[in-house]
């Protein structure tokens, strides 16, 4: 296998290191060849740690590496993300955007028009659909085992990430919704953050957003507090319901026939436990007597989120080879738009009805 070569814009971010670790763990698949880092000292630190050159500007990076690149990962705040995508699109350089590609509806519409005009090859690295447990849930929900899915409740991740899962579970594309939403603030003991565990107990405010998205024949419920990403005491929850069964967190219940119900629990399979000598890595997830998810990166010591990000990178390679999209700018725009409408519903206290956008007509 010839490794896919990428460069990263915004190379000093917290998320950027996911891509570096993945390339290091899977050198036969991916090779990080350069990054832009605005601060020279930080750039030198990254060069020493990861072994590839850094540059202060995109222009400098492209001057040295354009002919080597398969694609560029843009990992910058969304207020500037669109500008980088526009530059790369006009140069016919494929882009994997790490965030939704614009901060507001106007910016999303403008970017979409440029992508259509330039026929740019752009995808968005929305990884949650590829996390092992969510991938297993999506597989079961789409299998027909539960019948037609009519409801999904997601309390897993914020904003557009949570909306992306709702759409995948419900098999929603660009259908309009009527949205009701509220927020609630409560005290909680602060948990870990990106820098590590807390050193003492402190009370912090936890802001919860609860939204109901009524798509007519399907219902989505979004419920999230930011503490869930790191907290020891705030867990994730998922409920997916069809007329023949449901997934409740790790448990699957369905009717085999009118008088026979079947239940099983998703069973995570990892190597390296209890004296196993295969190494330490995730194998996949078994549901009942079948594998409902198999890790495509067997042998690599990656966390679930790193597996998911690696799946985005691998899907980007496949997209460039075949044209088969895995999470398009249109999908990203729709998820970001729905989240903005949730925020509008929270602020106004009134129902908000979504309307078709330019990217909805793909």
């Amino acid at each position: 296998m010839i490794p896919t070569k990428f460069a990263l814009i915004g190379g000093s971010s917290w998320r950027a290191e996911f891509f570096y670790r993945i390339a290091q763990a899977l050198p036969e698949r991916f090779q990080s060849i350069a990054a832009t880092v605005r601060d020279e000292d930080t750039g030198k630190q990254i060069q020493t740690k990861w072994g590839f050159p850094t540059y202060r500007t995109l222009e400098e990076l492209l001057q040295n590496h354009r002919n080597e690149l398969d694609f560029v990962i843009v990992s910058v705040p969304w207020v500037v993300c669109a500008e980088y995508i526009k530059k790369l699109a006009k140069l016919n350089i494929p882009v994997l955007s790490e965030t939704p590609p614009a901060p507001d509806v106007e910016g999303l519409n403008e970017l979409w028009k440029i992508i259509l005009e330039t026929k740019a090859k752009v995808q968005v690295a929305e990884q949650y659909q590829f996390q092992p447990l969510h991938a297993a849930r999506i597989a079961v929900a789409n299998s027909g085992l539960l019948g037609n899915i009519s409801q999904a409740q997601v309390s897993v991740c914020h904003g557009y990430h949570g909306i992306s899962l709702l759409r995948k579970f419900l098999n929603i594309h660009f259908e309009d919704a009527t949205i009701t939403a509220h927020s609630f603030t409560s005290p909680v003991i602060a948990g870990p953050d990106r820098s590590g565990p807390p050193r003492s107990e402190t009370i912090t405010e936890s802001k919860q957003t609860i939204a109901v998205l009524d798509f007519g024949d399907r219902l989505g419920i979004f419920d999230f507090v930011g503490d869930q990403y790191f907290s020891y005491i705030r867990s994730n929850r998922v409920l997916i319901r069809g007329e023949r069964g449901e997934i409740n967190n790790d448990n699957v219940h369905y009717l085999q026939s009118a008088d026979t119900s079947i239940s099983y629990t998703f069973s995570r399979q990892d190597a390296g436990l209890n004296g196993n000598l295969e190494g330490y890595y995730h194998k996949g997830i078994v549901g009942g007597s079948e594998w409902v998810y198999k890790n495509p990166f067997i042998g690599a010591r990656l966390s679930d989120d790193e597996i998911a990000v690696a799946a985005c990178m691998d899907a980007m390679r496949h997209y460039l080879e075949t044209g088969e999209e895995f999470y398009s700018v249109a999908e990203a725009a729709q998820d970001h738009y729905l989240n903005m409408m949730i925020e509008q519903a929270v602020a106004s206290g009134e129902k908000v009805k979504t309307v078709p956008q330019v990217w909805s007509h793909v």
Side-chain angles (χ1 to χ4, degrees):
M1 177 183 294
I2 299 174
T4 300
K5 296 180 179 180
F6 67 91
L8 204 141
I9 309 304
S12 61
S13 67
W14 178 77
R15 181 56 76 173
E17 293 221 347
F18 279 70
F19 298 103
Y20 303 156
R21 291 196 296 270
I22 290 163
Q24 187 178 71
L26 297 165
E28 73 283 2
R29 289 178 180 259
F30 309 114
Q31 182 180 350
S32 178
I33 63 171
T36 64
V37 180
R38 288 189 298 176
D39 181 77
E40 186 171 357
D41 289 338
T42 303
K44 288 178 179 178
Q45 293 171 16
I46 290 172
Q47 288 178 193
T48 300
K49 182 176 181 179
W50 298 105
F52 53 78
T54 65
Y55 302 92
R56 309 291 78 79
T57 66
L58 172 61
E59 289 72 20
E60 189 180 3
L61 184 151
L62 294 179
Q63 184 179 355
N64 287 276
H65 299 283
R66 178 172 181 175
N67 293 334
E68 302 173 65
L69 287 171
D70 290 304
F71 62 89
V72 170
I73 297 171
V74 177
S75 182
V76 297
W78 58 28
V79 293
V80 294
C81 184
E83 295 307 312
Y84 279 108
I85 293 175
K86 291 173 189 176
K87 287 181 182 179
L88 292 163
K90 291 175 181 178
L91 294 170
N92 197 32
I93 296 174
V95 175
L96 178 61
S97 174
E98 194 274 312
T99 60
D104 51 35
V105 174
E106 182 181 355
L108 290 169
N109 280 322
E110 180 187 354
L111 179 62
W112 180 247
K113 291 175 183 176
I114 290 173
I115 288 174
L116 290 180
E117 290 170 2
T118 61
K119 298 181 180 179
K121 295 180 178 179
V122 184
Q123 296 289 285
V124 178
E126 177 50 58
Q127 81 273 27
Y128 278 87
Q129 62 182 315
F130 298 123
Q131 285 188 3
L133 183 53
H134 295 316
R137 289 165 171 156
I138 291 169
V140 173
N142 291 341
S143 70
L145 193 70
L146 309 180
N148 293 318
I149 305 300
S150 58
Q151 183 180 153
Q153 300 182 24
V154 171
S155 182
V156 171
C157 43
H158 77 277
Y160 50 87
H161 293 304
I163 301 302
S164 75
L165 285 177
L166 275 177
R167 285 199 310 104
K168 295 296 181 183
F169 293 149
L170 291 169
N171 195 26
I172 290 289
H173 300 284
F174 299 100
E175 294 89 335
D176 287 320
T178 300
I179 299 173
T180 306
H182 304 276
S183 65
F184 176 73
T185 301
S186 59
V188 68
I189 300 293
D193 57 26
R194 291 180 179 181
S195 63
R199 295 184 177 181
S200 62
E201 286 194 6
T202 58
I203 295 287
T204 186
E205 288 191 340
S206 176
K207 185 176 180 181
Q208 182 176 14
T209 298
I210 301 174
V212 177
L213 293 84
D214 186 347
F215 294 97
D217 60 342
R218 283 159 288 181
L219 185 72
I221 299 176
F222 170 89
D223 177 1
F224 189 67
V225 293
D227 315 290
Q228 288 175 234
Y229 280 127
F230 290 96
S231 178
Y232 298 137
I233 58 173
R234 293 289 184 263
S235 57
N236 296 335
R237 303 180 308 285
V238 170
L239 176 66
I240 305 166
R241 285 181 166 168
E243 75 265 22
R244 298 197 61 83
E246 70 175 26
I247 301 171
N248 187 351
N249 291 330
D250 295 348
N251 301 306
V252 179
H253 310 280
Y254 66 96
L255 290 174
Q256 189 176 68
S257 61
D259 61 352
T260 305
S261 63
I262 303 294
S263 298
Y264 64 77
T265 299
F266 287 130
S267 176
R268 183 185 180 93
Q269 304 294 309
D270 294 317
L273 305 179
N274 300 317
N276 178 275
L277 299 178
E278 295 178 75
Y280 190 73
Y281 59 88
H282 179 53
K283 287 186 172 183
I285 294 175
V286 172
S289 61
E290 298 181 0
W291 287 88
V292 291
Y293 168 80
K294 287 188 176 182
N295 180 8
F297 310 109
I298 287 291
R301 190 169 180 170
L302 300 172
S303 69
D304 283 8
D305 203 48
E306 288 167 342
I307 289 171
V309 173
C312 289
M313 296 166 70
D314 210 39
M316 183 67 181
R317 174 198 56 77
H318 183 70
Y319 163 67
L320 294 177
E321 291 175 353
T322 67
E324 184 179 339
E325 296 185 315
F326 66 94
Y327 190 76
S328 65
V329 171
E331 283 192 90
Q334 184 70 8
D335 289 335
H336 189 22
Y337 169 61
L338 289 173
N339 182 59
M340 286 187 282
M341 294 301 98
I342 287 174
E343 292 174 348
Q344 181 178 318
V346 169
S348 68
E350 300 177 352
K351 288 184 178 180
V352 172
K353 293 186 178 182
T354 67
V355 295
Q357 301 296 316
V358 294
W359 61 78
S360 305
H361 307 293
V362 295

